[in-house]
Amino acid sequence: MLAVLALLVFFMFRNGRKRQKEQASLQSQMVAGANVMTNFGMYGTILSIDEEANKVELEIAPGTVVQMHRQAISRVVEPAVTADDADAELESSVDDTHTARLNEDDAIVMGEPEFGERIADDAPSTDSTKSDPTKGDA
């Protein structure tokens, strides 16, 4: 029993130190101009940080600045590589015969929606058994 208790205490201290290291690395990345996400899912850009009051001025939209507690920022967001950027890098590194083949493959796949993407409402339905929605349909 004593060994299990000692093991539990060991893991609790280890997890605590791990969280402190993550928090310290986040605080070092939080500088003016960094894109961040708050705990409640709001994205913005840091304008200034007040160390004494633990406040951050965050620009959430052009001209809209909010002040919030420094610990409300959950992570620094790195700019994501878009598909267009990835295609440009691919085309610059691969010869023309490969890019032509890739462009043909893209044209074939483009008609299908991506995972999680909705199909347009004006698209014709392939199911002929469905009728128009009625008042009770949800």
Side-chain angles (χ1 to χ4, degrees):
M1 284 289 264
L2 192 58
V4 172
L5 181 63
L7 190 64
L8 179 66
V9 169
F10 170 75
F11 280 117
M12 285 175 45
F13 280 115
R14 191 174 131 216
N15 287 341
R17 275 189 251 130
K18 190 182 213 182
R19 274 190 238 112
Q20 286 177 348
K21 286 180 185 178
E22 289 173 357
Q23 187 69 23
S25 69
L26 174 67
Q27 295 297 327
S28 68
Q29 291 177 346
M30 282 182 20
V31 294
N35 292 327
V36 295
M37 184 181 85
T38 62
N39 287 340
F40 43 92
M42 185 179 296
Y43 289 90
T45 304
I46 296 176
L47 295 180
S48 66
I49 301 173
D50 184 7
E51 299 285 338
E52 293 175 9
N54 265 346
K55 288 185 180 180
V56 175
E57 286 188 0
L58 193 68
E59 183 178 30
I60 56 174
T64 306
V65 179
V66 295
Q67 286 187 352
M68 62 182 57
H69 196 274
R70 186 176 184 162
Q71 291 179 344
I73 296 177
S74 65
R75 67 182 172 126
V76 176
V77 180
E78 299 295 327
V81 177
T82 62
D84 295 334
D85 294 340
D87 288 342
E89 288 180 19
L90 181 66
E91 288 177 6
S92 66
S93 65
V94 181
D95 61 62
D96 292 335
T97 58
H98 290 298
T99 57
R101 187 171 53 92
L102 289 174
N103 288 339
E104 291 173 4
D105 291 343
D106 287 342
I108 293 169
V109 179
M110 284 179 64
E112 298 176 14
E114 292 290 324
F115 178 76
E117 208 174 62
R118 292 186 177 193
I119 299 174
D121 290 327
D122 55 25
S125 175
T126 57
D127 188 11
S128 61
T129 60
K130 285 188 175 180
S131 63
D132 292 333
T134 59
K135 187 176 182 179
D137 289 344

